[in-house]
Amino acid sequence: MRRSEAMAARDEMDDIQALVRSGLGSLGSARYLLLRIGDAARARAWLRGLAPTRASEVGGGKTVDRAIQIAFSRAGLVALGFADADLEGLAPEFLDGMAGDERRSHRLGDVGASAPEHWRWGRREAEPHILVILCARSALFKPWADGIEADALASGCRRTAAFDSCPGREDGSVAQEPFGFADGMSQPDIDWDGRLAVTGAVNRDYRAGIAPGEVLIGHNNEYGFVGDMPQGRLSARNGSYLVYRQLEQDVTGFWRWAAAEAGPERAVWLAEQIVGRCLNGTALPGLGGKDNDFLFKSDPEGRACPLGAHVRRANPRSGDDPLGRRGFVRDVIASLGLEGRAADDAVASARFHRLLRRGRPYGRMLSPAQAMAPGQPPVEAGLHFVCLNASLARQFEFVQGAWLTSATFGGLSGEGDPLTGQRLPFPDEGRTDLFRYHDEAGLPRIAQRLPAFVTVRGGAYFLLPGIAGLASITRG
Ligand code: HEM
């Protein structure tokens, strides 16, 4: 790791793909096109003809009516002629692949029905080489996306899979995921202008702003350093690692379980405890803030928001390190266990484990009442979970493994993430199918034998290169 010369990321927006800056929510329709390369030269020529949308074209009041984003798996870079030596400096997790190693799958909770051997895509001959994300205003979408897909196939690429998201609202209103919750409420705020004082691990206070290097390769991260990147013919600067997982959601199963556990009138209340947010996206009452202006400091017992709720695991804010800013002496005292309780152990500040989420839902949307109605058959629905980060190990894999999947989190045991967990027992940690919460009278409760509500159907790690990086890949 090294420090980079000071340069505001804003000055490089022309070289950054748009998804880093914006979820492109005003473009209501999206297609995730997963391709395998048949002939490298023809694929390169086709890719050179695509103009990916840049960060400079979106955000800050600017908008486009169509956007193309292009990313590559390691297998894709190899198919385009890169040798192992060219890829040196890229993240080892990217080089191994999401399903590349059984231990990784266990750590990520990809077990049971979610194990890679059952995936519809993501490994062996179904491992994609290229991910093209096509987003457009819904009125323009289909003929345009079909045309680009046809060009890809005419250039010798084969289709591993292609998924359309369900059409979103184009009026800027909040998106919903298939369980019915407002999605995309909490996001880190990239410090494009380099205004944040980057203080590394000395100041562990939680804040929404993050250094550009938490998302962009080649920029200073929250520690004030730049991570590794290749130094040869492949340029990764201004790129980002893109995690893509197809997460199928059992919507009727989720709402029926909540209704059976809490009674139909309290089902929404219990579901909100599981997520850790109200259905409409606001913070749970009692956290002392709305939207994103809250910490878990005021709720150490998990009375307002269960300790194991999805959002509390996915981003414990100050909760995993309540001592916040401290000096060397207090650090030593804490690390010797002389201050705080086991539940307060400093894993690390949440600031070093942020994810920029860019996914979209797919399938048929049901309201909670429809999902609970007797006779409602199951529907196919889920999330094309996409997130961006500059360190797969410290960001996505840490959040997914240590916080969502682990059965011991924040002083809890025997439970995994109540929304996304697989519920299979771990060899060392035992059962994972409990969920502790406080009922409305403030009494502690333990829900037993939670079913799995989410199943992984496919996934892969990609490099979303910068614009110059893309040229270095397609040049040949
Ligand atoms: C089908 C699976 C999932 C569903 C239905 C789901 C749903 C939600 C909902 C409703 C929220 C609250 C609203 C918001 O802040 O956007 C949320 C927040 C969040 N989720 Fe998920 N999620 C899923 C999977 C995941 C996965 C796999 C990860 C990470 C590996 C993740 C990471 C996060 C993060 C970081 C937040 C924001 C927490 C915060 O900053 O307060 N989610 N999710």
Side-chain angles (χ1 to χ4, degrees), residues 177 181-186 249 310-311 314-315 317 355 357 383 385 396 400 419:
E177 53 72 40
F181 282 81
D183 201 4
M185 300 303 295
S186 170
Q249 296 175 238
H310 174 66
V311 301
N315 179 10
R317 299 177 184 232
L355 302 173
R357 287 172 301 139
L383 210 57
F385 176 86
F396 170 70
Q400 177 69 39
L419 197 66

mmCIF file with all atom_site columns, all heavy atoms in Angstrom, residues 177 181-186 249 310-311 314-315 317 355 357 383 385 396 400 419, ligand 1:
data_model
loop_
_atom_site.group_PDB
_atom_site.id
_atom_site.type_symbol
_atom_site.label_atom_id
_atom_site.label_alt_id
_atom_site.label_comp_id
_atom_site.label_asym_id
_atom_site.label_entity_id
_atom_site.label_seq_id
_atom_site.pdbx_PDB_ins_code
_atom_site.Cartn_x
_atom_site.Cartn_y
_atom_site.Cartn_z
_atom_site.occupancy
_atom_site.B_iso_or_equiv
_atom_site.pdbx_formal_charge
_atom_site.auth_seq_id
_atom_site.auth_comp_id
_atom_site.auth_asym_id
_atom_site.auth_atom_id
_atom_site.pdbx_PDB_model_num
ATOM   1   N  N   . GLU A 1 177 ? -37.874 -3.344  -2.482 1.00 0.00 ? 177 GLU A N   1
ATOM   2   C  CA  . GLU A 1 177 ? -37.423 -4.701  -2.793 1.00 0.00 ? 177 GLU A CA  1
ATOM   3   C  C   . GLU A 1 177 ? -38.637 -5.645  -2.636 1.00 0.00 ? 177 GLU A C   1
ATOM   4   O  O   . GLU A 1 177 ? -39.664 -5.217  -2.097 1.00 0.00 ? 177 GLU A O   1
ATOM   5   C  CB  . GLU A 1 177 ? -36.208 -5.067  -1.923 1.00 0.00 ? 177 GLU A CB  1
ATOM   6   C  CG  . GLU A 1 177 ? -36.360 -4.897  -0.443 1.00 0.00 ? 177 GLU A CG  1
ATOM   7   C  CD  . GLU A 1 177 ? -37.270 -5.941  0.135  1.00 0.00 ? 177 GLU A CD  1
ATOM   8   O  OE1 . GLU A 1 177 ? -37.170 -7.094  -0.295 1.00 0.00 ? 177 GLU A OE1 1
ATOM   9   O  OE2 . GLU A 1 177 ? -38.095 -5.596  0.999  1.00 0.00 ? 177 GLU A OE2 1
ATOM   10  N  N   . PHE A 1 181 ? -40.103 -3.698  1.383  1.00 0.00 ? 181 PHE A N   1
ATOM   11  C  CA  . PHE A 1 181 ? -39.414 -2.624  2.114  1.00 0.00 ? 181 PHE A CA  1
ATOM   12  C  C   . PHE A 1 181 ? -38.791 -1.616  1.143  1.00 0.00 ? 181 PHE A C   1
ATOM   13  O  O   . PHE A 1 181 ? -38.312 -2.000  0.068  1.00 0.00 ? 181 PHE A O   1
ATOM   14  C  CB  . PHE A 1 181 ? -38.302 -3.211  2.993  1.00 0.00 ? 181 PHE A CB  1
ATOM   15  C  CG  . PHE A 1 181 ? -38.819 -3.831  4.255  1.00 0.00 ? 181 PHE A CG  1
ATOM   16  C  CD1 . PHE A 1 181 ? -39.354 -5.112  4.242  1.00 0.00 ? 181 PHE A CD1 1
ATOM   17  C  CD2 . PHE A 1 181 ? -38.816 -3.127  5.441  1.00 0.00 ? 181 PHE A CD2 1
ATOM   18  C  CE1 . PHE A 1 181 ? -39.865 -5.683  5.397  1.00 0.00 ? 181 PHE A CE1 1
ATOM   19  C  CE2 . PHE A 1 181 ? -39.324 -3.681  6.596  1.00 0.00 ? 181 PHE A CE2 1
ATOM   20  C  CZ  . PHE A 1 181 ? -39.850 -4.972  6.584  1.00 0.00 ? 181 PHE A CZ  1
ATOM   21  N  N   . ALA A 1 182 ? -38.772 -0.370  1.579  1.00 0.00 ? 182 ALA A N   1
ATOM   22  C  CA  . ALA A 1 182 ? -38.045 0.651   0.821  1.00 0.00 ? 182 ALA A CA  1
ATOM   23  C  C   . ALA A 1 182 ? -36.577 0.256   0.801  1.00 0.00 ? 182 ALA A C   1
ATOM   24  O  O   . ALA A 1 182 ? -36.029 -0.141  1.828  1.00 0.00 ? 182 ALA A O   1
ATOM   25  C  CB  . ALA A 1 182 ? -38.218 2.008   1.491  1.00 0.00 ? 182 ALA A CB  1
ATOM   26  N  N   . ASP A 1 183 ? -35.946 0.326   -0.364 1.00 0.00 ? 183 ASP A N   1
ATOM   27  C  CA  . ASP A 1 183 ? -34.551 -0.120  -0.487 1.00 0.00 ? 183 ASP A CA  1
ATOM   28  C  C   . ASP A 1 183 ? -33.667 1.050   -0.917 1.00 0.00 ? 183 ASP A C   1
ATOM   29  O  O   . ASP A 1 183 ? -34.143 1.995   -1.546 1.00 0.00 ? 183 ASP A O   1
ATOM   30  C  CB  . ASP A 1 183 ? -34.457 -1.254  -1.510 1.00 0.00 ? 183 ASP A CB  1
ATOM   31  C  CG  . ASP A 1 183 ? -33.197 -2.088  -1.317 1.00 0.00 ? 183 ASP A CG  1
ATOM   32  O  OD1 . ASP A 1 183 ? -32.448 -1.827  -0.355 1.00 0.00 ? 183 ASP A OD1 1
ATOM   33  O  OD2 . ASP A 1 183 ? -32.970 -2.995  -2.123 1.00 0.00 ? 183 ASP A OD2 1
ATOM   34  N  N   . GLY A 1 184 ? -32.389 0.946   -0.569 1.00 0.00 ? 184 GLY A N   1
ATOM   35  C  CA  . GLY A 1 184 ? -31.444 1.994   -0.975 1.00 0.00 ? 184 GLY A CA  1
ATOM   36  C  C   . GLY A 1 184 ? -31.500 3.224   -0.079 1.00 0.00 ? 184 GLY A C   1
ATOM   37  O  O   . GLY A 1 184 ? -31.128 4.317   -0.491 1.00 0.00 ? 184 GLY A O   1
ATOM   38  N  N   . MET A 1 185 ? -31.975 3.048   1.170  1.00 0.00 ? 185 MET A N   1
ATOM   39  C  CA  . MET A 1 185 ? -32.095 4.207   2.065  1.00 0.00 ? 185 MET A CA  1
ATOM   40  C  C   . MET A 1 185 ? -30.734 4.687   2.565  1.00 0.00 ? 185 MET A C   1
ATOM   41  O  O   . MET A 1 185 ? -30.472 5.876   2.645  1.00 0.00 ? 185 MET A O   1
ATOM   42  C  CB  . MET A 1 185 ? -32.949 3.853   3.292  1.00 0.00 ? 185 MET A CB  1
ATOM   43  C  CG  . MET A 1 185 ? -34.355 3.415   2.982  1.00 0.00 ? 185 MET A CG  1
ATOM   44  S  SD  . MET A 1 185 ? -35.268 4.630   2.045  1.00 0.00 ? 185 MET A SD  1
ATOM   45  C  CE  . MET A 1 185 ? -35.365 5.964   3.202  1.00 0.00 ? 185 MET A CE  1
ATOM   46  N  N   . SER A 1 186 ? -29.887 3.747   2.946  1.00 0.00 ? 186 SER A N   1
ATOM   47  C  CA  . SER A 1 186 ? -28.596 4.145   3.533  1.00 0.00 ? 186 SER A CA  1
ATOM   48  C  C   . SER A 1 186 ? -27.467 3.803   2.574  1.00 0.00 ? 186 SER A C   1
ATOM   49  O  O   . SER A 1 186 ? -27.306 2.643   2.203  1.00 0.00 ? 186 SER A O   1
ATOM   50  C  CB  . SER A 1 186 ? -28.389 3.400   4.859  1.00 0.00 ? 186 SER A CB  1
ATOM   51  O  OG  . SER A 1 186 ? -27.078 3.594   5.314  1.00 0.00 ? 186 SER A OG  1
ATOM   52  N  N   . GLN A 1 249 ? -35.946 -14.397 -3.462 1.00 0.00 ? 249 GLN A N   1
ATOM   53  C  CA  . GLN A 1 249 ? -36.653 -14.138 -2.211 1.00 0.00 ? 249 GLN A CA  1
ATOM   54  C  C   . GLN A 1 249 ? -37.961 -14.914 -2.172 1.00 0.00 ? 249 GLN A C   1
ATOM   55  O  O   . GLN A 1 249 ? -38.760 -14.843 -3.114 1.00 0.00 ? 249 GLN A O   1
ATOM   56  C  CB  . GLN A 1 249 ? -36.930 -12.633 -2.072 1.00 0.00 ? 249 GLN A CB  1
ATOM   57  C  CG  . GLN A 1 249 ? -35.648 -11.820 -1.959 1.00 0.00 ? 249 GLN A CG  1
ATOM   58  C  CD  . GLN A 1 249 ? -35.889 -10.318 -1.947 1.00 0.00 ? 249 GLN A CD  1
ATOM   59  O  OE1 . GLN A 1 249 ? -35.362 -9.613  -2.783 1.00 0.00 ? 249 GLN A OE1 1
ATOM   60  N  NE2 . GLN A 1 249 ? -36.672 -9.826  -1.007 1.00 0.00 ? 249 GLN A NE2 1
ATOM   61  N  N   . HIS A 1 310 ? -31.165 -7.101  10.153 1.00 0.00 ? 310 HIS A N   1
ATOM   62  C  CA  . HIS A 1 310 ? -30.353 -7.046  8.929  1.00 0.00 ? 310 HIS A CA  1
ATOM   63  C  C   . HIS A 1 310 ? -29.525 -5.763  8.823  1.00 0.00 ? 310 HIS A C   1
ATOM   64  O  O   . HIS A 1 310 ? -28.315 -5.823  8.578  1.00 0.00 ? 310 HIS A O   1
ATOM   65  C  CB  . HIS A 1 310 ? -31.263 -7.198  7.706  1.00 0.00 ? 310 HIS A CB  1
ATOM   66  C  CG  . HIS A 1 310 ? -30.566 -7.026  6.401  1.00 0.00 ? 310 HIS A CG  1
ATOM   67  N  ND1 . HIS A 1 310 ? -29.605 -7.909  5.954  1.00 0.00 ? 310 HIS A ND1 1
ATOM   68  C  CD2 . HIS A 1 310 ? -30.662 -6.060  5.438  1.00 0.00 ? 310 HIS A CD2 1
ATOM   69  C  CE1 . HIS A 1 310 ? -29.158 -7.507  4.775  1.00 0.00 ? 310 HIS A CE1 1
ATOM   70  N  NE2 . HIS A 1 310 ? -29.775 -6.383  4.447  1.00 0.00 ? 310 HIS A NE2 1
ATOM   71  N  N   . VAL A 1 311 ? -30.134 -4.599  9.021  1.00 0.00 ? 311 VAL A N   1
ATOM   72  C  CA  . VAL A 1 311 ? -29.357 -3.363  8.809  1.00 0.00 ? 311 VAL A CA  1
ATOM   73  C  C   . VAL A 1 311 ? -28.305 -3.172  9.895  1.00 0.00 ? 311 VAL A C   1
ATOM   74  O  O   . VAL A 1 311 ? -27.263 -2.569  9.653  1.00 0.00 ? 311 VAL A O   1
ATOM   75  C  CB  . VAL A 1 311 ? -30.233 -2.087  8.718  1.00 0.00 ? 311 VAL A CB  1
ATOM   76  C  CG1 . VAL A 1 311 ? -31.241 -2.177  7.594  1.00 0.00 ? 311 VAL A CG1 1
ATOM   77  C  CG2 . VAL A 1 311 ? -30.908 -1.754  10.019 1.00 0.00 ? 311 VAL A CG2 1
ATOM   78  N  N   . ALA A 1 314 ? -25.496 -5.412  8.792  1.00 0.00 ? 314 ALA A N   1
ATOM   79  C  CA  . ALA A 1 314 ? -24.872 -4.967  7.539  1.00 0.00 ? 314 ALA A CA  1
ATOM   80  C  C   . ALA A 1 314 ? -24.078 -3.680  7.722  1.00 0.00 ? 314 ALA A C   1
ATOM   81  O  O   . ALA A 1 314 ? -23.136 -3.410  6.978  1.00 0.00 ? 314 ALA A O   1
ATOM   82  C  CB  . ALA A 1 314 ? -25.944 -4.782  6.464  1.00 0.00 ? 314 ALA A CB  1
ATOM   83  N  N   . ASN A 1 315 ? -24.470 -2.896  8.715  1.00 0.00 ? 315 ASN A N   1
ATOM   84  C  CA  . ASN A 1 315 ? -23.751 -1.654  9.006  1.00 0.00 ? 315 ASN A CA  1
ATOM   85  C  C   . ASN A 1 315 ? -23.988 -1.292  10.470 1.00 0.00 ? 315 ASN A C   1
ATOM   86  O  O   . ASN A 1 315 ? -24.914 -0.546  10.767 1.00 0.00 ? 315 ASN A O   1
ATOM   87  C  CB  . ASN A 1 315 ? -24.224 -0.535  8.075  1.00 0.00 ? 315 ASN A CB  1
ATOM   88  C  CG  . ASN A 1 315 ? -23.501 0.777   8.369  1.00 0.00 ? 315 ASN A CG  1
ATOM   89  O  OD1 . ASN A 1 315 ? -22.535 0.804   9.135  1.00 0.00 ? 315 ASN A OD1 1
ATOM   90  N  ND2 . ASN A 1 315 ? -23.976 1.852   7.760  1.00 0.00 ? 315 ASN A ND2 1
ATOM   91  N  N   . ARG A 1 317 ? -22.780 0.698   12.222 1.00 0.00 ? 317 ARG A N   1
ATOM   92  C  CA  . ARG A 1 317 ? -22.497 2.120   12.497 1.00 0.00 ? 317 ARG A CA  1
ATOM   93  C  C   . ARG A 1 317 ? -21.479 2.199   13.632 1.00 0.00 ? 317 ARG A C   1
ATOM   94  O  O   . ARG A 1 317 ? -20.438 1.598   13.537 1.00 0.00 ? 317 ARG A O   1
ATOM   95  C  CB  . ARG A 1 317 ? -23.805 2.869   12.772 1.00 0.00 ? 317 ARG A CB  1
ATOM   96  C  CG  . ARG A 1 317 ? -24.701 2.783   11.539 1.00 0.00 ? 317 ARG A CG  1
ATOM   97  C  CD  . ARG A 1 317 ? -26.034 3.401   11.675 1.00 0.00 ? 317 ARG A CD  1
ATOM   98  N  NE  . ARG A 1 317 ? -26.780 3.130   10.442 1.00 0.00 ? 317 ARG A NE  1
ATOM   99  C  CZ  . ARG A 1 317 ? -27.380 4.027   9.708  1.00 0.00 ? 317 ARG A CZ  1
ATOM   100 N  NH1 . ARG A 1 317 ? -27.392 5.278   10.081 1.00 0.00 ? 317 ARG A NH1 1
ATOM   101 N  NH2 . ARG A 1 317 ? -27.996 3.694   8.595  1.00 0.00 ? 317 ARG A NH2 1
ATOM   102 N  N   . LEU A 1 355 ? -20.358 -0.569  1.866  1.00 0.00 ? 355 LEU A N   1
ATOM   103 C  CA  . LEU A 1 355 ? -20.633 -1.059  0.512  1.00 0.00 ? 355 LEU A CA  1
ATOM   104 C  C   . LEU A 1 355 ? -21.514 -0.046  -0.202 1.00 0.00 ? 355 LEU A C   1
ATOM   105 O  O   . LEU A 1 355 ? -22.442 0.490   0.404  1.00 0.00 ? 355 LEU A O   1
ATOM   106 C  CB  . LEU A 1 355 ? -21.408 -2.387  0.576  1.00 0.00 ? 355 LEU A CB  1
ATOM   107 C  CG  . LEU A 1 355 ? -20.748 -3.528  1.332  1.00 0.00 ? 355 LEU A CG  1
ATOM   108 C  CD1 . LEU A 1 355 ? -21.712 -4.706  1.457  1.00 0.00 ? 355 LEU A CD1 1
ATOM   109 C  CD2 . LEU A 1 355 ? -19.479 -3.964  0.607  1.00 0.00 ? 355 LEU A CD2 1
ATOM   110 N  N   . ARG A 1 357 ? -24.311 0.061   -2.599 1.00 0.00 ? 357 ARG A N   1
ATOM   111 C  CA  . ARG A 1 357 ? -25.251 -0.910  -3.191 1.00 0.00 ? 357 ARG A CA  1
ATOM   112 C  C   . ARG A 1 357 ? -25.909 -0.324  -4.437 1.00 0.00 ? 357 ARG A C   1
ATOM   113 O  O   . ARG A 1 357 ? -26.340 0.820   -4.427 1.00 0.00 ? 357 ARG A O   1
ATOM   114 C  CB  . ARG A 1 357 ? -26.317 -1.303  -2.154 1.00 0.00 ? 357 ARG A CB  1
ATOM   115 C  CG  . ARG A 1 357 ? -25.751 -2.210  -1.067 1.00 0.00 ? 357 ARG A CG  1
ATOM   116 C  CD  . ARG A 1 357 ? -26.743 -2.428  0.046  1.00 0.00 ? 357 ARG A CD  1
ATOM   117 N  NE  . ARG A 1 357 ? -27.120 -1.174  0.662  1.00 0.00 ? 357 ARG A NE  1
ATOM   118 C  CZ  . ARG A 1 357 ? -28.357 -0.854  1.036  1.00 0.00 ? 357 ARG A CZ  1
ATOM   119 N  NH1 . ARG A 1 357 ? -29.338 -1.698  0.852  1.00 0.00 ? 357 ARG A NH1 1
ATOM   120 N  NH2 . ARG A 1 357 ? -28.611 0.319   1.591  1.00 0.00 ? 357 ARG A NH2 1
ATOM   121 N  N   . LEU A 1 383 ? -33.633 -10.198 -5.739 1.00 0.00 ? 383 LEU A N   1
ATOM   122 C  CA  . LEU A 1 383 ? -32.807 -9.008  -5.881 1.00 0.00 ? 383 LEU A CA  1
ATOM   123 C  C   . LEU A 1 383 ? -31.609 -9.345  -6.759 1.00 0.00 ? 383 LEU A C   1
ATOM   124 O  O   . LEU A 1 383 ? -30.958 -10.373 -6.532 1.00 0.00 ? 383 LEU A O   1
ATOM   125 C  CB  . LEU A 1 383 ? -32.306 -8.641  -4.485 1.00 0.00 ? 383 LEU A CB  1
ATOM   126 C  CG  . LEU A 1 383 ? -32.019 -7.200  -4.140 1.00 0.00 ? 383 LEU A CG  1
ATOM   127 C  CD1 . LEU A 1 383 ? -33.235 -6.314  -4.364 1.00 0.00 ? 383 LEU A CD1 1
ATOM   128 C  CD2 . LEU A 1 383 ? -31.570 -7.099  -2.673 1.00 0.00 ? 383 LEU A CD2 1
ATOM   129 N  N   . PHE A 1 385 ? -28.560 -8.359  -6.548 1.00 0.00 ? 385 PHE A N   1
ATOM   130 C  CA  . PHE A 1 385 ? -27.749 -7.626  -5.581 1.00 0.00 ? 385 PHE A CA  1
ATOM   131 C  C   . PHE A 1 385 ? -26.431 -7.252  -6.256 1.00 0.00 ? 385 PHE A C   1
ATOM   132 O  O   . PHE A 1 385 ? -25.683 -8.137  -6.694 1.00 0.00 ? 385 PHE A O   1
ATOM   133 C  CB  . PHE A 1 385 ? -27.502 -8.492  -4.340 1.00 0.00 ? 385 PHE A CB  1
ATOM   134 C  CG  . PHE A 1 385 ? -26.590 -7.839  -3.341 1.00 0.00 ? 385 PHE A CG  1
ATOM   135 C  CD1 . PHE A 1 385 ? -27.093 -6.963  -2.394 1.00 0.00 ? 385 PHE A CD1 1
ATOM   136 C  CD2 . PHE A 1 385 ? -25.219 -8.078  -3.359 1.00 0.00 ? 385 PHE A CD2 1
ATOM   137 C  CE1 . PHE A 1 385 ? -26.255 -6.336  -1.485 1.00 0.00 ? 385 PHE A CE1 1
ATOM   138 C  CE2 . PHE A 1 385 ? -24.373 -7.449  -2.454 1.00 0.00 ? 385 PHE A CE2 1
ATOM   139 C  CZ  . PHE A 1 385 ? -24.896 -6.584  -1.512 1.00 0.00 ? 385 PHE A CZ  1
ATOM   140 N  N   . PHE A 1 396 ? -16.984 -6.296  0.962  1.00 0.00 ? 396 PHE A N   1
ATOM   141 C  CA  . PHE A 1 396 ? -18.067 -7.266  0.743  1.00 0.00 ? 396 PHE A CA  1
ATOM   142 C  C   . PHE A 1 396 ? -17.873 -8.568  1.541  1.00 0.00 ? 396 PHE A C   1
ATOM   143 O  O   . PHE A 1 396 ? -18.774 -9.014  2.249  1.00 0.00 ? 396 PHE A O   1
ATOM   144 C  CB  . PHE A 1 396 ? -18.240 -7.606  -0.751 1.00 0.00 ? 396 PHE A CB  1
ATOM   145 C  CG  . PHE A 1 396 ? -19.169 -8.776  -0.910 1.00 0.00 ? 396 PHE A CG  1
ATOM   146 C  CD1 . PHE A 1 396 ? -20.534 -8.635  -0.642 1.00 0.00 ? 396 PHE A CD1 1
ATOM   147 C  CD2 . PHE A 1 396 ? -18.686 -10.039 -1.239 1.00 0.00 ? 396 PHE A CD2 1
ATOM   148 C  CE1 . PHE A 1 396 ? -21.394 -9.729  -0.711 1.00 0.00 ? 396 PHE A CE1 1
ATOM   149 C  CE2 . PHE A 1 396 ? -19.547 -11.129 -1.308 1.00 0.00 ? 396 PHE A CE2 1
ATOM   150 C  CZ  . PHE A 1 396 ? -20.896 -10.966 -1.045 1.00 0.00 ? 396 PHE A CZ  1
ATOM   151 N  N   . GLN A 1 400 ? -20.445 -9.750  4.417  1.00 0.00 ? 400 GLN A N   1
ATOM   152 C  CA  . GLN A 1 400 ? -21.230 -10.959 4.146  1.00 0.00 ? 400 GLN A CA  1
ATOM   153 C  C   . GLN A 1 400 ? -20.842 -12.088 5.115  1.00 0.00 ? 400 GLN A C   1
ATOM   154 O  O   . GLN A 1 400 ? -21.708 -12.804 5.620  1.00 0.00 ? 400 GLN A O   1
ATOM   155 C  CB  . GLN A 1 400 ? -20.984 -11.394 2.691  1.00 0.00 ? 400 GLN A CB  1
ATOM   156 C  CG  . GLN A 1 400 ? -21.670 -12.684 2.288  1.00 0.00 ? 400 GLN A CG  1
ATOM   157 C  CD  . GLN A 1 400 ? -23.179 -12.567 2.218  1.00 0.00 ? 400 GLN A CD  1
ATOM   158 O  OE1 . GLN A 1 400 ? -23.716 -11.563 1.778  1.00 0.00 ? 400 GLN A OE1 1
ATOM   159 N  NE2 . GLN A 1 400 ? -23.873 -13.600 2.651  1.00 0.00 ? 400 GLN A NE2 1
ATOM   160 N  N   . LEU A 1 419 ? -32.746 -12.050 7.759  1.00 0.00 ? 419 LEU A N   1
ATOM   161 C  CA  . LEU A 1 419 ? -33.340 -11.838 6.441  1.00 0.00 ? 419 LEU A CA  1
ATOM   162 C  C   . LEU A 1 419 ? -32.698 -12.749 5.394  1.00 0.00 ? 419 LEU A C   1
ATOM   163 O  O   . LEU A 1 419 ? -33.392 -13.369 4.595  1.00 0.00 ? 419 LEU A O   1
ATOM   164 C  CB  . LEU A 1 419 ? -33.142 -10.369 6.036  1.00 0.00 ? 419 LEU A CB  1
ATOM   165 C  CG  . LEU A 1 419 ? -34.002 -9.836  4.906  1.00 0.00 ? 419 LEU A CG  1
ATOM   166 C  CD1 . LEU A 1 419 ? -35.468 -9.810  5.323  1.00 0.00 ? 419 LEU A CD1 1
ATOM   167 C  CD2 . LEU A 1 419 ? -33.559 -8.428  4.513  1.00 0.00 ? 419 LEU A CD2 1
HETATM 168 C  C1  . HEM B 2 .   ? -32.510 -10.442 -0.827 1.00 0.00 ? 1   HEM B C1  1
HETATM 169 C  C2  . HEM B 2 .   ? -31.611 -9.993  0.013  1.00 0.00 ? 1   HEM B C2  1
HETATM 170 C  C3  . HEM B 2 .   ? -31.666 -8.659  0.677  1.00 0.00 ? 1   HEM B C3  1
HETATM 171 C  C4  . HEM B 2 .   ? -32.734 -7.866  0.975  1.00 0.00 ? 1   HEM B C4  1
HETATM 172 C  C5  . HEM B 2 .   ? -34.206 -8.143  0.702  1.00 0.00 ? 1   HEM B C5  1
HETATM 173 C  C6  . HEM B 2 .   ? -32.212 -6.677  1.611  1.00 0.00 ? 1   HEM B C6  1
HETATM 174 C  C7  . HEM B 2 .   ? -33.006 -5.635  2.066  1.00 0.00 ? 1   HEM B C7  1
HETATM 175 C  C8  . HEM B 2 .   ? -32.524 -4.509  2.695  1.00 0.00 ? 1   HEM B C8  1
HETATM 176 C  C9  . HEM B 2 .   ? -33.341 -3.440  3.197  1.00 0.00 ? 1   HEM B C9  1
HETATM 177 C  C10 . HEM B 2 .   ? -34.869 -3.388  3.105  1.00 0.00 ? 1   HEM B C10 1
HETATM 178 C  C11 . HEM B 2 .   ? -32.518 -2.515  3.745  1.00 0.00 ? 1   HEM B C11 1
HETATM 179 C  C12 . HEM B 2 .   ? -32.924 -1.206  4.435  1.00 0.00 ? 1   HEM B C12 1
HETATM 180 C  C13 . HEM B 2 .   ? -33.040 -0.053  3.527  1.00 0.00 ? 1   HEM B C13 1
HETATM 181 C  C14 . HEM B 2 .   ? -31.732 0.516   3.039  1.00 0.00 ? 1   HEM B C14 1
HETATM 182 O  O1  . HEM B 2 .   ? -30.947 1.098   3.808  1.00 0.00 ? 1   HEM B O1  1
HETATM 183 O  O2  . HEM B 2 .   ? -31.489 0.355   1.853  1.00 0.00 ? 1   HEM B O2  1
HETATM 184 C  C15 . HEM B 2 .   ? -31.163 -2.990  3.581  1.00 0.00 ? 1   HEM B C15 1
HETATM 185 C  C16 . HEM B 2 .   ? -30.033 -2.323  3.987  1.00 0.00 ? 1   HEM B C16 1
HETATM 186 C  C17 . HEM B 2 .   ? -28.749 -2.778  3.770  1.00 0.00 ? 1   HEM B C17 1
HETATM 187 N  N1  . HEM B 2 .   ? -28.369 -3.988  3.245  1.00 0.00 ? 1   HEM B N1  1
HETATM 188 FE FE1 . HEM B 2 .   ? -29.620 -5.416  2.560  1.00 0.00 ? 1   HEM B FE1 1
HETATM 189 N  N2  . HEM B 2 .   ? -30.857 -6.771  1.685  1.00 0.00 ? 1   HEM B N2  1
HETATM 190 C  C18 . HEM B 2 .   ? -30.475 -7.961  1.134  1.00 0.00 ? 1   HEM B C18 1
HETATM 191 C  C19 . HEM B 2 .   ? -29.187 -8.440  1.003  1.00 0.00 ? 1   HEM B C19 1
HETATM 192 C  C20 . HEM B 2 .   ? -28.064 -7.785  1.421  1.00 0.00 ? 1   HEM B C20 1
HETATM 193 C  C21 . HEM B 2 .   ? -26.717 -8.274  1.284  1.00 0.00 ? 1   HEM B C21 1
HETATM 194 C  C22 . HEM B 2 .   ? -26.334 -9.615  0.669  1.00 0.00 ? 1   HEM B C22 1
HETATM 195 C  C23 . HEM B 2 .   ? -25.887 -7.308  1.786  1.00 0.00 ? 1   HEM B C23 1
HETATM 196 C  C24 . HEM B 2 .   ? -24.384 -7.267  1.902  1.00 0.00 ? 1   HEM B C24 1
HETATM 197 C  C25 . HEM B 2 .   ? -23.559 -8.229  1.681  1.00 0.00 ? 1   HEM B C25 1
HETATM 198 C  C26 . HEM B 2 .   ? -26.713 -6.222  2.227  1.00 0.00 ? 1   HEM B C26 1
HETATM 199 C  C27 . HEM B 2 .   ? -26.236 -5.055  2.764  1.00 0.00 ? 1   HEM B C27 1
HETATM 200 C  C28 . HEM B 2 .   ? -27.010 -4.025  3.202  1.00 0.00 ? 1   HEM B C28 1
HETATM 201 C  C29 . HEM B 2 .   ? -26.461 -2.786  3.709  1.00 0.00 ? 1   HEM B C29 1
HETATM 202 C  C30 . HEM B 2 .   ? -24.997 -2.400  3.801  1.00 0.00 ? 1   HEM B C30 1
HETATM 203 C  C31 . HEM B 2 .   ? -27.558 -2.011  4.074  1.00 0.00 ? 1   HEM B C31 1
HETATM 204 C  C32 . HEM B 2 .   ? -27.519 -0.595  4.646  1.00 0.00 ? 1   HEM B C32 1
HETATM 205 C  C33 . HEM B 2 .   ? -27.412 -0.645  6.144  1.00 0.00 ? 1   HEM B C33 1
HETATM 206 C  C34 . HEM B 2 .   ? -27.233 0.741   6.700  1.00 0.00 ? 1   HEM B C34 1
HETATM 207 O  O3  . HEM B 2 .   ? -26.312 1.426   6.255  1.00 0.00 ? 1   HEM B O3  1
HETATM 208 O  O4  . HEM B 2 .   ? -28.023 1.128   7.545  1.00 0.00 ? 1   HEM B O4  1
HETATM 209 N  N3  . HEM B 2 .   ? -28.018 -6.538  1.997  1.00 0.00 ? 1   HEM B N3  1
HETATM 210 N  N4  . HEM B 2 .   ? -31.192 -4.213  2.959  1.00 0.00 ? 1   HEM B N4  1
#
